[in-house]
Amino acid sequence: AMLEAKRPHSSYIGYFPEYPIDDPQVQLSASIGTSELRLIQHVDNHFAVNSVLDLQHHAFFVVKDYVNTPELDQLIAQRKLKPQLSLSDKNSIQKIAYKRGELAVIDGKVFQHLITHDAELLATVQGKVRLHPFVLGQQSLHVAFNKQHPTYPKLLQLLNAELSKLQPGRHE
């Protein structure tokens, strides 16, 4: 959906959720909330992770082309951390459930949603994967609007106006 929403003549006006990004193809709405970037591990494991740098001692996954925390992404770019790549959050959950790695980076709310609503995961991995207690960071969540869609400016303005009513003092 993210790639489709960014195409010049896409019928998609935008997508949700998106962390803060610098992408010339999209305009982010005001924040619609926050979510914690977390780790997941197999229920049989109890890995000691108290900082992002502790990940250098573990086989861990990140989703290809996803935005993580600035610190984690910088350490990966500097090759101080060398994660394995997964194709999606669902794929990360499956890899951890089948012990193909030790940890995986995932948005905590996405994890909770997938393990309680995805039929395939409910049938195959439920009870095998849990959130690790360490929180990598907190990210604001936004709607990313396709700048090439003709209705995006009006919808962005409407959404931000409604969000400002919910979040007093915010004027974006």
Side-chain angles (χ1 to χ4, degrees), residues 52-53 60 62 66-83:
V52 175
L53 276 175
F60 75 101
V62 296
Y66 272 24
V67 174
N68 300 295
T69 64
E71 180 185 14
L72 178 58
D73 287 339
Q74 182 179 15
L75 290 169
I76 291 169
Q78 294 170 345
R79 309 224 4 102
K80 292 180 180 176
L81 293 176
K82 298 174 185 170

Side-chain angles (χ1 to χ4, degrees), residues 63-162:
V63 178
K64 183 181 186 317
D65 298 327
Y66 272 24
V67 174
N68 300 295
T69 64
E71 180 185 14
L72 178 58
D73 287 339
Q74 182 179 15
L75 290 169
I76 291 169
Q78 294 170 345
R79 309 224 4 102
K80 292 180 180 176
L81 293 176
K82 298 174 185 170
Q84 298 173 50
L85 300 179
S86 63
L87 300 176
S88 66
D89 289 315
K90 181 177 177 176
N91 183 239
S92 291
I93 294 168
Q94 291 167 323
K95 287 175 183 284
I96 297 304
Y98 299 122
K99 297 185 176 182
R100 294 188 187 132
E102 296 173 332
L103 300 159
V105 175
I106 192 167
D107 181 288
K109 289 180 180 176
V110 170
F111 173 72
Q112 293 297 344
H113 176 79
L114 287 173
I115 63 164
T116 57
H117 292 91
D118 185 283
E120 183 181 0
L121 292 177
L122 282 167
T124 59
V125 306
Q126 191 172 25
K128 295 181 181 178
V129 180
R130 66 182 171 91
L131 285 171
H132 187 281
F134 180 69
V135 176
L136 290 163
Q138 184 125 334
Q139 297 277 48
S140 60
L141 300 173
H142 306 265
V143 175
F145 288 95
N146 178 347
K147 285 183 175 179
Q148 297 183 39
H149 197 283
T151 62
Y152 110 81
K154 183 175 180 162
L155 291 174
L156 174 65
Q157 181 183 16
L158 287 170
L159 178 60
N160 284 345
E162 293 302 312

